[in-house]
Amino acid sequence: MRLSVNILYFLSAFFVSFVVCLFLVRFRHAHAHLTADNDLDGAQKFHAFAVPRVGGLALLLALLLDIPLVYLFDGASLGGAFALLLASAFPAFAGGMAEDILKIGLIKTRLFAMVVSCLLLIALLGWLIIRTDMAIVDWLVQYHWLAVIVTVAAILGIINAFNLIDGYNGLSSAVGMIMLASLSYVAFKVGDRLVMVAAVSMIGACLGFTLWNWPRGLIFLGDGGAYTLGFWLAALAIAIVMRNPSVSPWYSSVLLLYPIVETIFTIQRRLDRKAHPGMPDAAHLHQLIYKRMMRWAVGSSCPEERTMRNSMTSPYLWFFASLSVVPATLLWHSTLGLQITAICFVIGYLWLYRCITRFKTPKWLVYRKTSRKSREV
């Protein structure tokens, strides 16, 4: 019974998300003046034509329309908690959507919206970071007000980390689905129905969007979508540890390790170059993979080749993110195993980044498909 209900939640969210994206793409001419990303030359812009950047709307509506189903099949208690989780996510979504439509960096507004989402999560559901297996942090979070600060800071970090890796077709949505699949599995193992339902629903919503986003890039997740996905993952990662003592606190950290490491390394790189940590650059791992490992169609002016080169970058990062997610899923109860995984992943990240920047990328990692221009010569 539970399996069939889970499938229903997934299919419902998938269908709604897919249809919303269909309408957004089909009628983009009617809303492009508000929603299209027309900047093709920015430091973090790699698309070949103007694309609607409001895919987050599909995620939100998919989750919203799953609420009645959760009430019907899992009862008012779980349905209410699911609704409160979505209500908590809404301010972050709204702040991102404002940026998507106005196309300006509303830094203070979006940070305020994210903080409101975090405080709503704490007030409505009581989800806090209360254990980390790190002595200093555990001492801090025994005080409620400090636990609130640590929780808000952690969620803000994950939200912005997911926005940071949202650079190529299918990248952040697929990475999010991989992580959500892990959360749903661990929630099943420990019997946490709420986390499992929330994870399965978001997987369906992300998949409905991804089929339009990858590989053709017909719609983007946008800041609203990236903030919503990042918040959802952060909230569930906190909940699975808080609500289930058998789950190691390191599970959540290792699960989200790829965006965490990317963000920390980005901040450090920008500070070393005496640049503002919030200023965009073109030196993220996914951007270096795009430039130096996807060597076909370099300099091509053909939109189809640029779009395909964009999309073929993402599978590298799907695999790379899985190098922490898979061990986290298998070792969710083992703090030592998760700590070893974290160390190995960070070393692997630094090695790969160093290899790419020094033009010493292993040849088996380089994709050399012949471009159309080369074939015509």
Coordinates of all heavy atoms in Angstrom, one line a residue, residues 145-224:
W145 N 18.9 29.3 21.3 CA 19.1 30.5 20.4 C 20.3 30.3 19.5 O 20.4 30.7 18.4 CB 19.2 31.8 21.2 CG 20.4 31.9 22.1 CD1 20.5 31.4 23.4 CD2 21.6 32.5 21.8 NE1 21.8 31.6 23.9 CE2 22.5 32.4 23.0 CE3 22.1 33.2 20.7 CZ2 23.8 32.9 23.0 CZ3 23.4 33.7 20.8 CH2 24.2 33.6 21.9
L146 N 21.3 29.6 20.0 CA 22.5 29.3 19.2 C 22.2 28.2 18.2 O 22.7 28.2 17.1 CB 23.7 28.9 20.1 CG 24.4 30.0 20.9 CD1 25.5 29.4 21.8 CD2 25.0 31.0 19.9
A147 N 21.3 27.3 18.6 CA 20.9 26.2 17.6 C 20.2 26.9 16.5 O 20.3 26.4 15.3 CB 20.0 25.2 18.3
V148 N 19.4 27.9 16.8 CA 18.6 28.6 15.7 C 19.6 29.3 14.8 O 19.5 29.2 13.5 CB 17.7 29.6 16.3 CG1 17.1 30.5 15.2 CG2 16.5 28.9 17.1
I149 N 20.6 29.9 15.3 CA 21.6 30.6 14.5 C 22.4 29.6 13.6 O 22.6 29.9 12.4 CB 22.6 31.4 15.3 CG1 21.8 32.6 16.0 CG2 23.7 32.0 14.5 CD1 22.7 33.4 17.0
V150 N 22.8 28.5 14.2 CA 23.5 27.5 13.4 C 22.7 26.9 12.3 O 23.1 26.7 11.2 CB 24.1 26.4 14.4 CG1 24.6 25.2 13.5 CG2 25.1 27.0 15.3
T151 N 21.4 26.7 12.6 CA 20.5 26.1 11.6 C 20.2 27.1 10.5 O 20.3 26.7 9.3 CB 19.2 25.7 12.3 OG1 19.4 24.8 13.4 CG2 18.2 25.1 11.3
V152 N 20.0 28.3 10.8 CA 19.7 29.3 9.8 C 21.0 29.5 8.9 O 20.9 29.5 7.6 CB 19.4 30.7 10.4 CG1 19.4 31.8 9.3 CG2 18.0 30.6 11.1
A153 N 22.2 29.5 9.5 CA 23.4 29.6 8.7 C 23.6 28.4 7.8 O 24.0 28.6 6.6 CB 24.6 29.8 9.7
A154 N 23.3 27.2 8.3 CA 23.5 26.0 7.5 C 22.5 26.0 6.3 O 22.9 25.7 5.2 CB 23.3 24.8 8.4
I155 N 21.3 26.3 6.6 CA 20.3 26.3 5.5 C 20.6 27.4 4.4 O 20.6 27.1 3.2 CB 18.9 26.5 6.0 CG1 18.5 25.3 7.0 CG2 17.9 26.6 4.9 CD1 17.2 25.5 7.6
L156 N 21.0 28.6 4.9 CA 21.4 29.6 4.0 C 22.6 29.2 3.1 O 22.6 29.4 1.9 CB 21.8 30.9 4.7 CG 20.7 31.7 5.4 CD1 21.3 32.9 6.1 CD2 19.7 32.2 4.3
G157 N 23.5 28.5 3.7 CA 24.7 28.0 2.9 C 24.3 27.0 1.9 O 24.7 27.1 0.7
I158 N 23.4 26.1 2.2 CA 22.9 25.1 1.2 C 22.1 25.7 0.1 O 22.3 25.3 -1.1 CB 22.1 23.9 1.9 CG1 23.1 23.2 2.9 CG2 21.6 23.0 0.9 CD1 24.3 22.6 2.3
I159 N 21.2 26.6 0.5 CA 20.4 27.3 -0.6 C 21.3 28.0 -1.6 O 21.2 27.8 -2.8 CB 19.5 28.3 0.1 CG1 18.4 27.6 0.9 CG2 18.8 29.2 -1.0 CD1 17.5 28.6 1.7
N160 N 22.3 28.7 -1.1 CA 23.2 29.5 -2.0 C 24.1 28.5 -2.7 O 24.5 28.8 -3.9 CB 24.0 30.5 -1.2 CG 23.1 31.7 -0.9 OD1 22.8 32.6 -1.7 ND2 22.7 31.8 0.4
A161 N 24.5 27.4 -2.1 CA 25.3 26.4 -2.8 C 24.6 25.8 -4.0 O 25.2 25.6 -5.0 CB 25.7 25.3 -1.8
F162 N 23.3 25.5 -3.8 CA 22.6 24.9 -5.0 C 22.4 26.0 -6.1 O 22.4 25.6 -7.3 CB 21.2 24.4 -4.5 CG 21.3 22.9 -4.4 CD1 21.8 22.3 -3.3 CD2 20.9 22.1 -5.5 CE1 21.9 20.9 -3.3 CE2 21.0 20.7 -5.5 CZ 21.5 20.1 -4.3
N163 N 22.2 27.2 -5.7 CA 22.2 28.3 -6.7 C 23.5 28.4 -7.4 O 23.6 28.6 -8.6 CB 21.8 29.6 -6.1 CG 21.4 30.6 -7.1 OD1 20.7 30.4 -8.0 ND2 22.0 31.8 -7.0
L164 N 24.6 28.2 -6.7 CA 25.9 28.3 -7.3 C 26.2 27.2 -8.3 O 26.8 27.5 -9.4 CB 27.0 28.2 -6.2 CG 28.4 28.5 -6.5 CD1 28.6 30.0 -6.8 CD2 29.4 28.1 -5.4
I165 N 25.7 26.0 -8.1 CA 26.0 24.9 -9.0 C 24.9 24.8 -10.2 O 25.0 24.0 -11.0 CB 26.1 23.5 -8.3 CG1 24.7 23.1 -7.8 CG2 27.1 23.5 -7.3 CD1 24.7 21.6 -7.3
D166 N 23.9 25.7 -10.1 CA 22.9 25.7 -11.1 C 23.4 26.5 -12.4 O 23.0 27.6 -12.7 CB 21.6 26.4 -10.6 CG 20.5 26.3 -11.6 OD1 20.5 25.4 -12.4 OD2 19.6 27.2 -11.6
G167 N 24.4 25.8 -13.1 CA 25.0 26.5 -14.2 C 24.8 25.9 -15.5 O 25.1 26.5 -16.6
Y168 N 24.4 24.6 -15.6 CA 24.2 23.9 -16.9 C 22.9 23.2 -16.9 O 22.4 22.8 -15.9 CB 25.5 23.0 -17.1 CG 26.7 23.8 -17.3 CD1 27.6 24.0 -16.3 CD2 27.0 24.3 -18.6 CE1 28.7 24.8 -16.5 CE2 28.2 25.1 -18.8 CZ 29.0 25.3 -17.7 OH 30.1 26.1 -17.9
N169 N 22.5 22.8 -18.1 CA 21.3 22.1 -18.3 C 21.3 20.8 -17.5 O 22.2 20.0 -17.7 CB 21.0 21.8 -19.8 CG 20.9 23.0 -20.6 OD1 20.5 24.1 -20.1 ND2 21.1 22.9 -21.9
G170 N 20.3 20.6 -16.6 CA 20.2 19.4 -15.9 C 21.1 19.2 -14.7 O 21.1 18.2 -14.1
L171 N 22.0 20.2 -14.4 CA 23.0 20.0 -13.4 C 22.4 19.9 -12.0 O 22.4 18.9 -11.3 CB 24.1 21.0 -13.5 CG 25.2 21.0 -12.4 CD1 25.7 19.6 -12.3 CD2 26.3 22.0 -12.7
S172 N 21.8 21.1 -11.5 CA 21.3 21.1 -10.1 C 20.1 20.2 -9.9 O 20.0 19.6 -8.9 CB 21.1 22.5 -9.7 OG 20.1 23.1 -10.6
S173 N 19.2 20.2 -10.9 CA 18.0 19.4 -10.7 C 18.3 17.9 -10.6 O 17.8 17.2 -9.8 CB 17.0 19.6 -11.8 OG 17.5 19.3 -13.1
A174 N 19.2 17.4 -11.4 CA 19.6 16.0 -11.4 C 20.4 15.6 -10.1 O 20.2 14.6 -9.5 CB 20.4 15.6 -12.6
V175 N 21.3 16.5 -9.8 CA 22.1 16.3 -8.5 C 21.1 16.3 -7.4 O 21.2 15.5 -6.4 CB 23.1 17.4 -8.3 CG1 23.7 17.4 -6.9 CG2 24.3 17.3 -9.4
G176 N 20.1 17.2 -7.4 CA 19.1 17.2 -6.3 C 18.3 15.9 -6.3 O 18.1 15.4 -5.2
M177 N 18.0 15.4 -7.4 CA 17.2 14.1 -7.5 C 18.1 13.0 -6.9 O 17.6 12.1 -6.2 CB 16.8 13.8 -8.9 CG 15.6 14.6 -9.4 SD 14.9 14.0 -10.9 CE 16.2 14.5 -12.1
I178 N 19.4 13.0 -7.2 CA 20.3 11.9 -6.6 C 20.3 12.0 -5.1 O 20.2 11.0 -4.4 CB 21.7 12.1 -7.2 CG1 21.7 11.8 -8.7 CG2 22.7 11.2 -6.5 CD1 23.0 12.2 -9.4
M179 N 20.4 13.2 -4.6 CA 20.4 13.4 -3.1 C 19.1 13.1 -2.5 O 19.0 12.5 -1.4 CB 20.8 14.8 -2.8 CG 22.3 15.1 -3.2 SD 22.7 16.9 -3.0 CE 24.4 16.8 -3.4
L180 N 18.0 13.4 -3.2 CA 16.6 13.1 -2.7 C 16.4 11.6 -2.6 O 15.7 11.1 -1.7 CB 15.6 13.9 -3.5 CG 15.5 15.4 -3.3 CD1 14.8 16.0 -4.5 CD2 14.8 15.7 -2.0
A181 N 16.9 10.9 -3.6 CA 16.7 9.5 -3.7 C 17.4 8.9 -2.5 O 16.9 7.9 -1.8 CB 17.3 8.9 -5.0
S182 N 18.6 9.4 -2.1 CA 19.3 8.9 -0.9 C 18.5 9.2 0.3 O 18.3 8.3 1.2 CB 20.7 9.6 -0.8 OG 21.3 9.2 0.4
L183 N 17.9 10.4 0.4 CA 17.1 10.7 1.6 C 15.9 9.8 1.7 O 15.5 9.4 2.8 CB 16.7 12.2 1.5 CG 17.7 13.2 2.0 CD1 17.3 14.6 1.5 CD2 17.8 13.3 3.5
S184 N 15.3 9.5 0.6 CA 14.1 8.7 0.6 C 14.4 7.3 1.1 O 13.7 6.6 1.8 CB 13.4 8.7 -0.7 OG 14.2 8.1 -1.7
Y185 N 15.6 6.8 0.6 CA 16.0 5.4 1.0 C 16.3 5.4 2.6 O 15.9 4.5 3.2 CB 17.3 5.1 0.3 CG 18.0 3.8 0.8 CD1 17.5 2.5 0.4 CD2 19.1 3.9 1.6 CE1 18.1 1.4 0.9 CE2 19.7 2.7 2.1 CZ 19.2 1.5 1.7 OH 19.8 0.3 2.2
V186 N 17.1 6.4 3.0 CA 17.4 6.4 4.5 C 16.1 6.6 5.3 O 15.9 5.9 6.4 CB 18.5 7.5 4.8 CG1 18.7 7.5 6.3 CG2 19.8 7.2 4.1
A187 N 15.2 7.4 4.8 CA 14.0 7.6 5.5 C 13.2 6.3 5.6 O 12.5 6.0 6.6 CB 13.2 8.7 4.8
F188 N 13.2 5.5 4.5 CA 12.5 4.2 4.5 C 13.2 3.3 5.5 O 12.5 2.6 6.3 CB 12.6 3.6 3.1 CG 12.2 2.2 3.0 CD1 10.9 1.8 3.1 CD2 13.2 1.2 2.9 CE1 10.6 0.5 3.1 CE2 12.9 -0.1 2.9 CZ 11.5 -0.5 2.9
K189 N 14.5 3.3 5.6 CA 15.2 2.4 6.5 C 14.9 2.7 8.0 O 14.8 1.8 8.8 CB 16.7 2.5 6.3 CG 17.2 2.0 4.9 CD 17.0 0.5 4.7 CE 18.1 -0.2 5.5 NZ 18.0 -1.7 5.3
V190 N 14.7 4.0 8.3 CA 14.4 4.4 9.7 C 13.0 4.6 10.0 O 12.6 4.9 11.1 CB 15.3 5.6 10.1 CG1 16.8 5.3 10.0 CG2 14.9 6.8 9.2
G191 N 12.1 4.5 8.9 CA 10.7 4.6 9.1 C 10.2 6.1 9.3 O 9.2 6.3 10.0
D192 N 10.9 7.0 8.7 CA 10.5 8.4 8.7 C 9.6 8.7 7.5 O 10.1 9.1 6.5 CB 11.7 9.3 8.8 CG 11.4 10.8 9.2 OD1 10.3 11.2 8.8 OD2 12.2 11.4 9.9
R193 N 8.3 8.6 7.7 CA 7.4 8.8 6.6 C 7.3 10.2 6.0 O 7.3 10.4 4.8 CB 6.0 8.4 7.1 CG 4.9 8.4 6.1 CD 5.1 7.3 5.1 NE 4.1 7.4 4.0 CZ 4.2 6.8 2.8 NH1 5.4 6.2 2.5 NH2 3.3 6.9 1.9
L194 N 7.4 11.2 6.9 CA 7.4 12.6 6.4 C 8.5 12.9 5.4 O 8.3 13.5 4.4 CB 7.3 13.6 7.5 CG 7.4 15.1 7.2 CD1 6.2 15.4 6.2 CD2 7.3 15.9 8.4
V195 N 9.7 12.6 5.9 CA 10.9 12.8 5.0 C 10.8 12.1 3.7 O 11.1 12.6 2.7 CB 12.2 12.5 5.8 CG1 13.4 12.6 4.9 CG2 12.4 13.4 7.0
M196 N 10.3 10.8 3.8 CA 10.2 10.0 2.6 C 9.2 10.6 1.6 O 9.5 10.7 0.4 CB 9.9 8.6 3.0 CG 9.9 7.7 1.8 SD 9.6 6.0 2.2 CE 9.9 5.1 0.7
V197 N 8.1 11.0 2.1 CA 7.0 11.6 1.2 C 7.5 12.9 0.6 O 7.3 13.1 -0.6 CB 5.7 11.8 2.0 CG1 4.8 12.7 1.2 CG2 5.1 10.5 2.4
A198 N 8.1 13.7 1.4 CA 8.6 15.0 0.9 C 9.7 14.8 -0.1 O 9.8 15.5 -1.2 CB 9.2 15.9 2.1
A199 N 10.6 13.8 0.1 CA 11.7 13.6 -0.9 C 11.1 13.0 -2.2 O 11.5 13.4 -3.3 CB 12.7 12.6 -0.3
V200 N 10.2 12.0 -2.1 CA 9.6 11.4 -3.3 C 8.9 12.4 -4.1 O 9.0 12.4 -5.4 CB 8.7 10.2 -2.9 CG1 7.9 9.8 -4.1 CG2 9.6 9.1 -2.4
S201 N 8.1 13.3 -3.5 CA 7.4 14.3 -4.2 C 8.3 15.3 -4.9 O 8.0 15.6 -6.1 CB 6.5 15.1 -3.2 OG 5.5 14.3 -2.7
M202 N 9.4 15.7 -4.3 CA 10.3 16.6 -4.9 C 11.0 15.9 -6.1 O 11.4 16.6 -7.1 CB 11.3 17.2 -3.9 CG 12.2 18.2 -4.5 SD 11.4 19.6 -5.3 CE 11.5 20.8 -4.0
I203 N 11.3 14.6 -6.0 CA 12.0 13.9 -7.1 C 11.0 14.0 -8.3 O 11.5 14.2 -9.4 CB 12.2 12.4 -6.7 CG1 13.3 12.4 -5.6 CG2 12.7 11.6 -7.9 CD1 13.5 11.0 -5.0
G204 N 9.8 13.7 -8.1 CA 8.8 13.8 -9.2 C 8.8 15.1 -9.8 O 8.8 15.3 -11.1
A205 N 8.7 16.2 -9.0 CA 8.7 17.6 -9.5 C 10.0 17.9 -10.3 O 9.9 18.5 -11.3 CB 8.5 18.5 -8.3
C206 N 11.1 17.5 -9.8 CA 12.4 17.7 -10.4 C 12.5 17.0 -11.8 O 13.0 17.6 -12.8 CB 13.6 17.3 -9.6 SG 13.9 18.5 -8.2
L207 N 12.0 15.8 -11.8 CA 12.1 15.0 -13.0 C 11.2 15.6 -14.1 O 11.6 15.7 -15.3 CB 11.6 13.6 -12.8 CG 11.7 12.6 -14.0 CD1 13.2 12.6 -14.6 CD2 11.2 11.2 -13.7
G208 N 10.0 16.1 -13.8 CA 9.1 16.7 -14.7 C 9.7 17.9 -15.3 O 9.6 18.2 -16.5
F209 N 10.5 18.7 -14.5 CA 11.2 19.9 -15.0 C 12.4 19.5 -15.9 O 12.7 20.0 -16.9 CB 11.7 20.7 -13.8 CG 12.8 21.6 -14.2 CD1 12.6 22.8 -14.8 CD2 14.1 21.3 -13.9 CE1 13.6 23.7 -15.2 CE2 15.2 22.1 -14.2 CZ 14.9 23.3 -14.9
T210 N 13.2 18.4 -15.4 CA 14.4 18.1 -16.0 C 14.2 17.6 -17.5 O 15.1 17.8 -18.3 CB 15.1 17.0 -15.2 OG1 15.4 17.5 -13.9 CG2 16.5 16.6 -15.8
L211 N 13.1 16.9 -17.7 CA 12.9 16.5 -19.1 C 12.7 17.6 -20.1 O 12.9 17.4 -21.3 CB 11.6 15.6 -19.1 CG 11.7 14.3 -18.4 CD1 10.4 13.5 -18.5 CD2 12.9 13.4 -18.9
W212 N 12.4 18.8 -19.6 CA 12.4 20.0 -20.5 C 13.7 20.7 -20.5 O 14.0 21.5 -21.4 CB 11.2 20.9 -20.1 CG 9.9 20.3 -20.4 CD1 9.0 19.7 -19.5 CD2 9.2 20.3 -21.6 NE1 7.9 19.3 -20.1 CE2 7.9 19.7 -21.5 CE3 9.5 20.8 -22.9 CZ2 7.0 19.5 -22.5 CZ3 8.6 20.7 -23.9 CH2 7.4 20.0 -23.7
N213 N 14.4 20.6 -19.4 CA 15.7 21.3 -19.2 C 16.9 20.6 -19.8 O 17.8 21.3 -20.4 CB 15.9 21.6 -17.7 CG 17.2 22.2 -17.4 OD1 18.1 21.6 -16.8 ND2 17.4 23.5 -17.8
W214 N 16.9 19.3 -19.8 CA 18.0 18.5 -20.3 C 17.6 17.5 -21.3 O 16.6 16.8 -21.1 CB 18.7 17.8 -19.1 CG 20.0 17.2 -19.5 CD1 21.3 17.8 -19.4 CD2 20.3 15.8 -20.0 NE1 22.2 16.9 -19.9 CE2 21.6 15.7 -20.2 CE3 19.4 14.8 -20.3 CZ2 22.2 14.6 -20.7 CZ3 20.0 13.6 -20.8 CH2 21.4 13.5 -21.0
P215 N 18.2 17.5 -22.5 CA 19.4 18.2 -22.9 C 19.2 19.5 -23.6 O 20.2 20.2 -23.9 CB 20.1 17.2 -23.8 CG 19.0 16.5 -24.5 CD 17.9 16.4 -23.5
R216 N 18.0 19.8 -24.0 CA 17.8 20.9 -25.0 C 17.7 22.3 -24.3 O 17.8 23.3 -25.0 CB 16.5 20.7 -25.7 CG 16.5 19.4 -26.6 CD 15.2 19.2 -27.3 NE 14.9 20.3 -28.2 CZ 13.7 20.5 -28.8 NH1 12.7 19.7 -28.5 NH2 13.6 21.6 -29.6
G217 N 17.6 22.3 -23.0 CA 17.6 23.6 -22.3 C 16.5 24.5 -22.7 O 16.7 25.7 -22.9
L218 N 15.3 24.0 -22.7 CA 14.1 24.8 -23.1 C 13.6 25.7 -22.0 O 12.8 26.6 -22.2 CB 13.0 23.9 -23.6 CG 13.4 23.0 -24.9 CD1 12.2 22.1 -25.2 CD2 13.7 24.0 -26.1
I219 N 13.9 25.4 -20.8 CA 13.5 26.2 -19.6 C 14.6 26.0 -18.5 O 15.2 24.9 -18.4 CB 12.1 25.7 -19.1 CG1 11.6 26.6 -18.0 CG2 12.1 24.3 -18.6 CD1 10.1 26.4 -17.6
F220 N 14.8 27.0 -17.7 CA 15.8 27.0 -16.7 C 15.1 27.0 -15.3 O 13.9 27.4 -15.1 CB 16.7 28.3 -16.7 CG 17.6 28.3 -17.9 CD1 18.1 29.5 -18.3 CD2 17.9 27.1 -18.6 CE1 19.0 29.6 -19.4 CE2 18.8 27.2 -19.7 CZ 19.3 28.4 -20.1
L221 N 15.8 26.4 -14.3 CA 15.3 26.3 -13.0 C 15.1 27.7 -12.4 O 14.1 28.0 -11.7 CB 16.2 25.5 -12.1 CG 15.7 24.9 -10.8 CD1 14.5 24.1 -11.0 CD2 16.8 24.1 -10.1
G222 N 16.1 28.6 -12.7 CA 16.0 30.0 -12.2 C 16.3 30.0 -10.7 O 16.5 29.0 -10.0
D223 N 16.5 31.2 -10.2 CA 16.8 31.4 -8.7 C 15.7 30.9 -7.9 O 15.9 30.3 -6.8 CB 17.0 32.9 -8.4 CG 18.3 33.4 -9.1 OD1 19.3 32.6 -9.2 OD2 18.4 34.6 -9.5
G224 N 14.4 31.1 -8.3 CA 13.3 30.6 -7.5 C 13.3 29.1 -7.3 O 13.1 28.6 -6.3

